């Protein structure tokens, strides 16, 4: 019952640290615009809430209050965020956006930073006010408990004790109000929370170590097929976390224009990926080795298209004036090179939607003659304030 939770908070051993840490963490969690915007930030705050000896009831109440305030103030957060990220402080924020670990906090979203600042401040001042109010309440109750015979006689009556027990769990607990008011700080961390998080980390590490490679191989194959536009065969994918190494074995990428052949094939592709850059939300390959690469080899089983491929439009040959030369005069295989360049262009166009830059929206806005702020406003209307990023 809600009122019993309040009674437990008043009669319990809640210290100022437990109260303020709960309201600050609850305020920060409630200020998050969504899980997809800052997944690592959400997990970090959740980890702190479990490990720190914060009052979970207060954290939940603060989360709900701040979430309601954030939904109301979202347009204001958006305007403040634009000024922060695109203004004089833009370089400072960009450093955090591109730094390891914080790159996954979603600070590139315009509403994120203002929302976190307001949520954290609201949580801090709420916790400060509550801790002082609880201390004053306990002091008053301690005075009544020891210096007022009328109060003691009144609270001893059954018709007072019973509703107090139903609503608040009782007027006092195992300790007197004086003892509660003089309670020590206590442990800053929750031993059970530490045990829980350590156990969870061990389970994740063991799970990753013994995870069926079929799952990883399927994920890699599906993403390669999206980029290639046709069937991609991958016999296996091995991940070596200690060396930040990924090994693809038995790679064969079907040619979308000729499904009987492979655009590219190799026995193994070995890539060393920078771990620090992954923390910075970037993929940087430090070392790449391709074992027995092959191009244009015949496939045993014809592939299938995963993306519709448009045939390249050939330009009509224009009559050349006397003495005019073009690339065909110098390259005997010019038509083949044109086909290859057209293929590269089509692959890029399929990869482009997964990139950060939203070229289609920018070009459409430029054609309409919209200013930069007008384009931001248009994106906010179409996607919502929480999904627009710098």
């Amino acid at each position: 019952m809600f009122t019993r939770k309040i009674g437990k908070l008043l009669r319990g051993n809640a210290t100022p640290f437990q109260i303020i840490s709960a309201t600050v963490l609850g305020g920060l969690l409630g200020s998050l615009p969504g899980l997809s915007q800052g997944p690592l930030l959400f997990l970090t705050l959740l980890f702190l809430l479990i490990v720190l000896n914060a009052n979970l009831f207060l954290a939940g109440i603060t989360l709900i209050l701040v979430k309601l305030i954030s939904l109301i103030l979202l347009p204001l957060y958006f305007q403040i965020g634009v000024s922060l990220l695109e203004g004089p402080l833009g370089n400072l924020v960009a450093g955090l956006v591109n730094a390891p670990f914080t790159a996954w906090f979603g600070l590139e979203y315009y509403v994120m930073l203002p929302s976190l600042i307001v949520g954290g401040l609201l949580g801090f001042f709420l916790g400060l006010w509550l801790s002082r109010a609880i201390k004053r309440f306990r002091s008053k109750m301690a005075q009544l408990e020891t210096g007022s015979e009328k109060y003691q006689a009144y609270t001893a009556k059954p018709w007072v004790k019973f509703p107090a027990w139903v609503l608040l769990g009782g007027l006092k607990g195992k300790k007197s109000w004086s003892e509660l008011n003089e309670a020590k700080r206590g442990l800053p961390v929750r031993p059970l929370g530490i045990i829980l998080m350590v156990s969870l980390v061990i389970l994740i590490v063991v799970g990753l170590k013994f995870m069926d490679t079929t799952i990883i191989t399927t994920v890699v194959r599906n993403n390669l097929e999206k980029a290639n536009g046709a069937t991609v065969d991958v016999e296996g994918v091995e991940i070596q976390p200690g060396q930040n190494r990924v090994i693809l074995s038995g790679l064969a990428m079907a040619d979308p224009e000729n499904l009987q052949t492979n655009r590219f094939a190799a026995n193994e592709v070995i890539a060393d990926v920078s771990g620090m850059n992954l923390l910075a939300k970037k993929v940087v390959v430090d070392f790449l080795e391709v074992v027995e690469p092959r191009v244009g080899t015949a496939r045993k089983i014809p592939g299938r298209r995963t993306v519709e491929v448009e045939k390249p439009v050939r330009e009509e040959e224009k009559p050349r004036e006397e003495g005019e030369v073009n690339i065909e005069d110098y390259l005997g295989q010019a038509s083949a090179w044109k086909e290859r360049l057209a293929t590269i262009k089509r692959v890029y166009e399929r990869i482009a939607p997964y990139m950060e830059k939203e070229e289609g929206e920018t070009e459409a806005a430029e054609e309409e003659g919209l200013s930069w702020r007008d384009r931001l406003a248009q994106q906010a209307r179409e996607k919502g304030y929480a999904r627009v990023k710098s």
Side-chain angles (χ1 to χ4, degrees):
M1 187 183 290
F2 184 79
T3 55
R4 292 177 70 91
K5 290 287 186 181
I6 296 175
K8 187 177 180 180
L9 178 65
L10 295 172
R11 294 179 292 98
N13 295 323
T15 63
F17 172 79
Q18 293 173 333
I19 294 171
I20 295 176
S21 61
T23 54
V24 169
L25 291 173
L28 291 173
L29 283 168
S31 65
L32 293 179
L35 298 183
S36 60
Q37 281 84 343
L40 188 57
L41 179 57
F42 170 77
L43 292 176
T44 302
L45 293 173
L46 190 62
F47 170 82
L48 291 174
L49 185 61
I50 294 173
V51 170
L52 294 180
N53 199 7
N55 187 287
L56 298 179
F57 170 69
L58 270 182
I61 294 298
T62 308
L63 187 152
I64 295 172
L65 291 175
V66 174
K67 175 58 71 176
L68 293 175
I69 294 172
S70 296
L71 292 175
I72 296 171
L73 298 181
L74 204 58
L76 179 61
Y77 289 161
F78 180 77
Q79 298 301 329
I80 296 174
V82 171
S83 300
L84 285 174
L85 271 69
E86 310 297 346
L89 298 177
N91 290 333
L92 177 62
V93 180
L96 293 173
V97 169
N98 296 313
F101 194 72
T102 56
W104 294 90
F105 280 12
L107 299 177
E108 67 272 19
Y109 289 91
Y110 287 115
V111 300
M112 181 65 81
L113 196 56
S115 184
L116 288 174
I117 293 172
V118 174
L121 289 175
L122 284 175
F124 174 76
F125 287 116
L126 177 61
L128 196 63
W129 175 79
L130 279 175
S131 62
R132 291 178 177 177
I134 291 173
K135 186 175 180 65
R136 288 195 298 267
F137 175 81
R138 289 174 177 174
S139 298
K140 185 65 176 177
M141 294 300 292
Q143 293 174 6
L144 293 172
E145 186 179 46
T146 57
S148 176
E149 295 181 0
K150 290 184 178 180
Y151 170 80
Q152 294 175 14
Y154 181 76
T155 54
K157 295 178 179 180
W159 60 271
V160 174
K161 293 174 68 175
F162 180 73
W165 176 78
V166 172
L167 296 175
L168 300 175
L171 291 174
K172 67 176 186 177
K174 297 179 180 179
K175 295 182 179 181
S176 67
W177 290 106
S178 298
E179 290 174 329
L180 289 174
N181 211 27
E182 296 173 0
K184 296 180 180 179
R185 180 176 298 178
L187 290 175
V189 295
R190 202 189 319 269
L192 184 60
I194 295 176
I195 295 172
L196 176 63
M197 295 310 298
V198 171
S199 303
L200 183 61
V201 170
I202 293 174
L203 285 175
I204 292 173
V205 171
V206 173
L208 289 174
K209 187 175 181 180
F210 293 100
M211 180 184 290
D212 188 359
T213 56
T214 305
I215 299 174
I216 302 174
T217 303
T218 302
V219 172
V220 172
R221 183 189 299 115
N222 291 341
N223 283 278
L224 286 176
E225 286 185 346
K226 289 180 182 178
N228 184 49
T231 301
V232 174
D233 298 326
V234 181
E235 291 181 2
V237 178
E238 181 183 356
I239 298 178
Q240 300 176 354
Q243 301 178 359
N244 295 330
R245 176 167 292 181
V246 180
I247 302 175
L248 275 69
S249 57
L251 177 65
M253 304 174 66
D255 189 340
E257 297 180 9
N258 185 1
L259 298 174
Q260 304 291 334
T261 62
N262 286 318
R263 170 183 285 171
F264 177 79
N267 287 2
E268 280 188 342
V269 177
I270 304 169
D272 289 350
V273 183
S274 171
M276 288 300 294
N277 282 286
L278 282 177
L279 289 176
K281 222 173 182 180
K282 302 173 185 175
V283 178
V284 177
V285 179
D286 295 329
F287 171 80
L288 181 67
E289 179 182 358
V290 182
V291 180
E292 295 190 20
R294 301 177 296 279
V295 178
T297 55
R299 291 180 59 85
K300 294 181 180 179
I301 301 175
R304 59 177 180 81
R305 288 191 180 93
T306 57
V307 178
E308 289 299 324
V309 179
E310 296 180 1
K311 293 291 184 180
V313 179
R314 296 179 178 273
E315 296 182 1
E316 295 182 2
E317 291 288 338
K318 297 180 181 179
R320 284 188 286 173
E321 299 179 1
E322 186 177 351
E324 183 182 355
V325 294
N326 58 21
I327 194 171
E328 282 85 352
D329 296 326
Y330 299 101
L331 299 175
Q333 296 181 341
S335 59
W337 279 105
K338 281 186 176 181
E339 293 285 351
R340 292 168 186 170
L341 291 173
T343 300
I344 292 172
K345 180 183 178 183
R346 287 193 296 275
V347 171
Y348 167 75
E349 289 173 348
R350 283 194 289 270
I351 296 175
Y354 302 96
M355 295 183 172
E356 294 291 335
K357 186 177 180 182
E358 299 173 349
E359 296 178 353
E361 294 180 2
T362 304
E363 291 174 0
E366 289 176 353
E367 289 177 1
E368 295 175 6
L370 298 177
S371 66
W372 170 71
R373 287 194 174 273
D374 290 337
R375 291 201 300 271
L376 285 182
Q378 184 182 40
Q379 290 182 23
R381 288 192 300 270
E382 293 174 354
K383 300 180 177 181
Y385 291 107
R387 296 186 176 278
V388 183
K389 55 187 174 181
S390 175

